Amino acid sequence: MEHEFYCQFIKPDPSLDRFVENIGMFHNPSDEAKEVVVMPDGRVDLFFMQNGKDEPFATFLIGLETEPEQRTIPSGTLAFVISFRPLAVEYILHTSIADLLNTARTLPDDFWNLSVNDLTDLDLFAQKISRKITELLPETVDERKRKLFNLIYSSNGEMSVKELSDSTCWSSRQTNRYFNQQFGLSLKAYCTILRFRASLEHIAEGQLFPELNFADQNHFIKEIKKFSGVPPKELSQNKNDRFILLSVLKQK
């Protein structure tokens, strides 16, 4: 294993759960590049990485994804990542990612005072990141936004925009404006991504039929292909572990 591509993820302190889903790392110590498929998962990723010992240290923020993308992880790549929930974009990162749909933004090399020297131990990295994010925690969060995201997550994206609007006392027009301005996509589109991600957990267990609220099997297959590029059966087989998110779910 020490000479093969691997990844590892840990949960943050419960006090950060509203904003951070997990903290992890990717390492490709092999002599060959690793071909992977990145699928939409509803998270916003902050990467600190080095593509080989002789390459410069880089920091970048990846916005939400709406389609699968094939990527190559070069030999020697070492990357540590914080996977944020969207609420963190406004309250922790203090920015908008509407212009980062399916793309990334390069950040200053000294962002959050981290350097390549911090890419040695995941636990130590997580401790340092947790202290930094704790310093940035807001005193208050808009109650409508807090409730909105709680409902989106707890329902696996299966509540309609109207149901979410009625439950948060926040009009559909306002919630969609917030999502488009802050994240670059509609609330409905984001919910669809979360439903796909929830379906991945079932596929990881070998369940190739819809467990969630899809109209029928054809609709299920169409949506899985839209976000992964392949039908459920091929996705489940996950040859060469190229679908990293599915590989992680299968490890649970």
Side-chain angles (χ1 to χ4, degrees):
M1 176 177 174
E2 60 184 25
H3 298 297
E4 298 178 356
F5 172 84
Y6 68 92
C7 56
Q8 180 183 357
F9 297 90
I10 57 178
K11 289 290 185 182
D13 185 274
S15 64
L16 305 181
D17 184 67
R18 182 183 301 178
F19 301 103
V20 182
E21 183 170 320
N22 58 45
I23 300 172
M25 67 169 293
F26 300 87
H27 190 202
N28 183 16
S30 72
D31 295 329
E32 298 181 357
K34 170 72 173 178
E35 300 296 330
V36 300
V37 177
V38 176
M39 299 181 291
D41 59 12
R43 299 181 297 190
V44 179
D45 291 328
L46 175 60
F47 270 88
F48 300 87
M49 67 184 299
Q50 186 176 32
N51 286 331
K53 293 182 179 180
D54 298 326
E55 296 297 320
F57 175 74
T59 303
F60 53 91
L61 182 67
I62 299 180
L64 294 173
E65 288 120 347
T66 62
E67 56 193 26
E69 180 184 351
Q70 292 195 9
R71 295 181 188 170
T72 300
I73 301 178
S75 170
T77 295
L78 177 61
F80 283 57
V81 58
I82 305 102
S83 291
F84 289 106
R85 303 186 193 277
L87 199 59
V89 172
E90 176 180 359
Y91 288 98
I92 301 297
L93 300 174
H94 304 293
T95 188
S96 164
I97 56 168
D99 62 330
L100 296 184
L101 202 64
N102 299 310
T103 189
R105 176 190 302 158
T106 301
L107 301 179
D109 291 343
D110 61 350
F111 185 80
W112 282 1
N113 294 319
L114 270 81
S115 70
V116 68
N117 296 325
D118 293 296
L119 308 186
T120 58
D121 182 279
L122 179 57
D123 289 325
L124 293 177
F125 177 82
Q127 291 172 19
K128 186 169 184 177
I129 286 297
S130 296
R131 288 195 296 269
K132 179 61 180 180
I133 296 176
T134 297
E135 294 174 1
L136 297 172
L137 288 177
E139 293 185 5
T140 60
V141 173
D142 187 318
E143 181 60 21
R144 297 172 305 173
K145 296 173 184 176
R146 185 198 67 79
K147 189 172 184 179
L148 176 64
F149 279 105
N150 283 347
L151 291 171
I152 292 172
Y153 289 128
S154 62
S155 67
N156 290 321
E158 292 203 287
M159 290 182 69
S160 69
V161 173
K162 184 180 186 308
E163 289 173 324
L164 291 168
S165 175
D166 291 343
S167 298
T168 58
C169 299
W170 201 11
S171 75
S172 299
R173 183 177 180 182
Q174 289 174 319
T175 53
N176 271 312
R177 182 186 299 119
Y178 169 67
F179 262 76
N180 278 293
Q181 292 180 346
Q182 194 68 21
F183 310 117
L185 77 176
S186 69
L187 172 56
K188 182 177 180 181
Y190 184 74
C191 287
T192 302
I193 289 171
L194 284 195
R195 182 172 67 171
F196 162 74
R197 182 177 168 185
S199 297
L200 284 182
E201 297 185 13
H202 301 143
I203 291 174
E205 297 172 352
Q207 301 173 19
L208 305 183
F209 295 90
E211 298 289 330
L212 300 174
N213 188 28
F214 291 91
D216 52 36
Q217 177 72 1
N218 287 335
H219 182 210
F220 171 69
I221 293 174
K222 183 178 180 180
E223 191 158 298
I224 297 301
K225 288 184 68 175
K226 174 183 177 181
F227 291 121
S228 71
V230 297
K233 184 176 181 180
E234 184 176 343
L235 179 59
S236 178
Q237 293 170 344
N238 196 13
K239 292 182 179 180
N240 300 318
D241 285 327
R242 61 195 180 103
F243 297 99
I244 295 179
L245 179 56
L246 191 64
S247 299
V248 172
L249 290 172
K250 286 186 174 183
Q251 293 172 6
K252 291 184 176 181

